[in-house]
Amino acid sequence: MPHAVPQGPGRLAYGGDYNPEQWPEETWQEDIALMREAGVTMVSVGIFSWAKLEPSPGRYTFGWLDRLLDLLHAAGIRADLATPTVVPPAWFYRAHPEALPVSREGVRLAFGSRGAICHSSPAYQEAAAGITRALAERYGQHPAVAMWHVHNEYGVPVLECYCDVSAAHFRRWLTERYGTLDALNAAWGTAFWGQAYGDWEEINPPRLTPTTCNPAQRLDFARFASDSALDNFRRERDLLHELSPGVPVTTNFMVSPTQCDTIDYWAWAREVDIVTNDHYLVAEDDRNHINLSMAADLSRSVGGGKPWLLLEHSTSGVNWQTRGIAKRPGEMARNSLAHVARGSEGAMFFQWRASRSGAEKFHSAMVPHAGTDSRIWREVVALGGHIGALEPVRGTRTVADAALVWDWQSWWAQKLEWRPSEDLDTRERAEAVYAALFDRHVTVDFAHPEADLSGYPLVVVPALYLMTAEAGQNLRRYVEGGGTLVVCYFSGIVDEHDAVHPGPHPGALRDVLGLTVEEFQPLRAGEQVTLEGPDGHRLTADVWAETVVARGAEPVWTYADGPAAGCPAITRHELGEGTAWYVSARLDTAGLDTVLAAAGLDAGIAAREDLPRDVEVVRREGESGRYLFVINHTDADTEVTVGGDGTELLTGTRVAATLPVPAGGVRVLHLDD
């Protein structure tokens, strides 16, 4: 069973990655004093410390970590203690060069970075278990340890390995998945291009081939890579559960599609005691707060709606993006509290003190190179006070208005070669639909295609190319039960093996949508089409159109021009107690808003016309009460109607019906019962 969420002493989690091995011990006392000044309640320790903890095989030097954990405990600061298995030491690779990963092109990557791991390597697995066991035996009951942090950011910078050891592991994985070669050949469609296998030993990873490789093989290898790393996580987790009972175990996810695309987080979230996530702004995006909110909603959703924890973000600019854009005054607090609004039980950073050496020395930190006489430090201290003031929200849950269906495996499948248009982009549509809902002030949960959707009045499927038959039936049951469904183009096309569903497109969705797609009509670069609807209302689309045949659905918008001129473009189908909308073209922002507004009327979701653009209102509710987070991303002061009286937690002021929120500010209202 999942353990309780780790907390500092009576506080939400606030702090960052602490790497004391980079500093002389006399600096540690200064750090502890500064942490207390800033209101730090927890720090992540030891993530990159394998070489210091085990300088040679089986020889451990724990003295420095003993002293550090004792210092933290004496100061009332808890530790998120890591197993440093993302950075095997140089001595390990000297003894086991075969544990370095091999790229698809056949190049063995070298030591000198981080995450250079073949997850199929027995030598790596044994060494990782060794350091994990040693840490757990020594610190499993240490009073400073609030949580165990396994590895770091699985999936980046590299996950797949194409070496011979991985090939043998892949064959074992396939044997367990399919049982027989006949089943594998059927699933992979190996009759095409004469690829049938007669012996398991004939199967290899999908290495570089003369032309496009079998897409079902590529898809299964992506699944295998995610599963292999997950197996390694489980090995470490199980050791920690055995030797450190009662202490939760996690690993830091990177759920934002802008950060990691190799991990199936639906599967991984079931294996951690608490979901934690790292998030970094797309710095040059003018509205990067939308990506932040999307990542926070994804983090909460993969964890089943329970509170989660933001384990890393930045105080200001980062060094690994094209341009390390600095955050404006107030932006750090706004970012942090937006995560809390959407379910995080605190806000942690990478890192505590800025590094003087190494690849990330220009990454911002809680204690910057400028020191404590700096804007960043003053904002860090102020934010610590805000986090402390929000203690009453701990344990409450974010309330969502609608669901957006998302699946990493479908994304993997659609990204493979030779699709009808290179402009088809799963991530782009998911982000576009999310942004449209954000602008309509709709709080979103993400849902797996086969999850129970009955609690949502509105469900949107922005891009689900791969859809199992069960997922199709799940969406049908949802609509028949009274739900409102919106499906975007190129969804429901193939099954879990990347094989086209029998019959006309969109195979898994034909019945619920009440239509068939006779032919895809991808558009030329720069080409646009016009859709005409009620009262002559026109919408614009690009990239994609379809020849749609209504078979029970009602055409609402029709193609006025282009290759599908005269055909239905956007349809509405009444089925059972609900309705299903289909959008067969890539609409622009205004078009998406129009369709979602129409579907929202079916779903009974009222528009918040009183809220300005880029002002978020998010609810958290629980035993301690009801809370409204109002986050103003604009440069203008605003007032928000809150529908009741309450106390604003950050200022302590009483509020009656209307809440003033300054430009760039955040207010959190505890509503009276």
Side-chain angles (χ1 to χ4, degrees), residues 452-467:
D452 179 12
L453 302 170
S454 59
Y456 301 102
L458 176 67
V459 171
V460 185
V461 179
L464 199 65
Y465 161 75
L466 183 155
M467 184 180 292

Side-chain angles (χ1 to χ4, degrees), residues 177-531:
R177 184 176 180 86
Y178 292 108
T180 68
L181 280 170
D182 286 345
L184 179 139
N185 281 316
W188 283 10
T190 57
F192 186 77
W193 280 358
Q195 296 175 358
Y197 295 101
D199 190 292
W200 292 103
E201 294 300 314
E202 295 168 359
I203 303 172
N204 281 306
R207 294 168 176 146
L208 209 58
T209 51
T211 185
T212 299
C213 186
N214 186 325
Q217 182 184 10
R218 292 284 305 277
L219 179 58
D220 266 349
F221 194 70
R223 291 170 172 141
F224 158 76
S226 181
D227 285 354
S228 298
L230 182 55
D231 283 345
N232 285 343
F233 167 78
R234 289 191 191 103
R235 287 187 188 93
E236 295 187 41
R237 178 204 63 192
D238 291 349
L239 278 170
L240 295 167
H241 279 168
E242 173 193 347
L243 298 170
S244 185
V247 180
V249 181
T250 191
T251 185
N252 45 340
F253 292 173
M254 299 186 74
V255 301
S256 173
T258 59
Q259 290 181 231
C260 182
D261 61 358
T262 57
I263 295 291
D264 181 356
Y265 287 113
W266 292 119
W268 280 65
R270 295 191 294 266
E271 304 293 341
V272 298
D273 295 328
I274 174 177
V275 167
T276 63
N277 191 57
D278 295 354
H279 180 262
Y280 292 95
L281 296 178
V282 182
E284 294 196 72
D285 184 347
D286 289 339
R287 302 182 74 206
N288 52 31
H289 53 276
I290 298 178
N291 174 270
L292 182 156
S293 296
M294 182 176 178
D297 286 343
L298 261 170
S299 300
R300 180 185 70 251
S301 298
V302 297
K306 298 187 292 293
W308 57 282
L309 179 60
L310 174 67
L311 206 55
E312 280 188 30
H313 71 314
S314 65
T315 58
S316 191
V318 300
N319 63 296
W320 40 264
Q321 294 187 10
T322 305
R323 296 170 186 84
I325 307 298
K327 293 184 178 181
R328 296 187 300 167
E331 189 175 2
M332 177 185 68
R334 199 160 61 248
N335 292 164
S336 302
L337 298 181
H339 283 287
V340 175
R342 294 176 186 270
S344 178
E345 297 285 71
M348 304 278 286
F349 294 90
F350 182 85
Q351 58 182 323
W352 164 252
R353 183 181 285 273
S355 300
R356 293 186 56 232
S357 303
E360 295 189 277
K361 55 183 170 288
F362 298 119
H363 192 296
S364 59
M366 298 176 78
V367 182
H369 292 299
T372 55
D373 186 15
S374 64
R375 175 180 66 84
I376 285 180
W377 173 251
R378 288 186 284 273
E379 290 192 8
V380 162
V381 174
L383 178 58
H386 290 335
I387 295 292
L390 295 183
E391 175 63 21
V393 308
R394 184 160 54 96
T396 62
R397 295 193 177 199
T398 301
V399 180
D401 307 303
L404 193 154
V405 175
W406 172 258
D407 184 42
W408 278 274
Q409 295 191 22
S410 179
W411 186 22
W412 299 342
Q414 187 172 322
K415 286 195 301 181
L416 296 174
E417 302 93 339
W418 289 12
R419 301 319 185 204
S421 171
E422 66 176 14
D423 298 321
L424 288 167
D425 189 334
T426 300
R427 186 184 120 191
E428 182 277 330
R429 271 301 86 178
E431 291 176 338
V433 169
Y434 184 90
L437 291 167
F438 182 95
D439 283 343
R440 297 194 66 76
H441 305 287
V442 174
T443 302
V444 169
D445 277 344
F446 286 81
H448 187 274
E450 297 180 10
D452 179 12
L453 302 170
S454 59
Y456 301 102
L458 176 67
V459 171
V460 185
V461 179
L464 199 65
Y465 161 75
L466 183 155
M467 184 180 292
T468 63
E470 173 53 36
Q473 289 300 313
N474 187 46
L475 292 175
R476 178 178 181 131
R477 287 191 298 270
Y478 167 74
V479 174
E480 288 177 333
T484 300
L485 177 69
V486 179
V487 176
C488 295
Y489 59 89
F490 207 55
S491 293
I493 306 302
V494 300
D495 66 12
E496 60 270 32
H497 305 299
D498 198 43
V500 173
H501 285 287
H505 303 312
L509 291 168
R510 283 193 303 264
D511 294 341
V512 69
L513 296 175
L515 55 81
T516 58
V517 174
E518 186 173 295
E519 191 171 12
F520 300 139
Q521 299 286 358
L523 304 181
R524 293 173 173 82
E527 184 180 3
Q528 292 187 328
V529 294
T530 304
L531 286 57

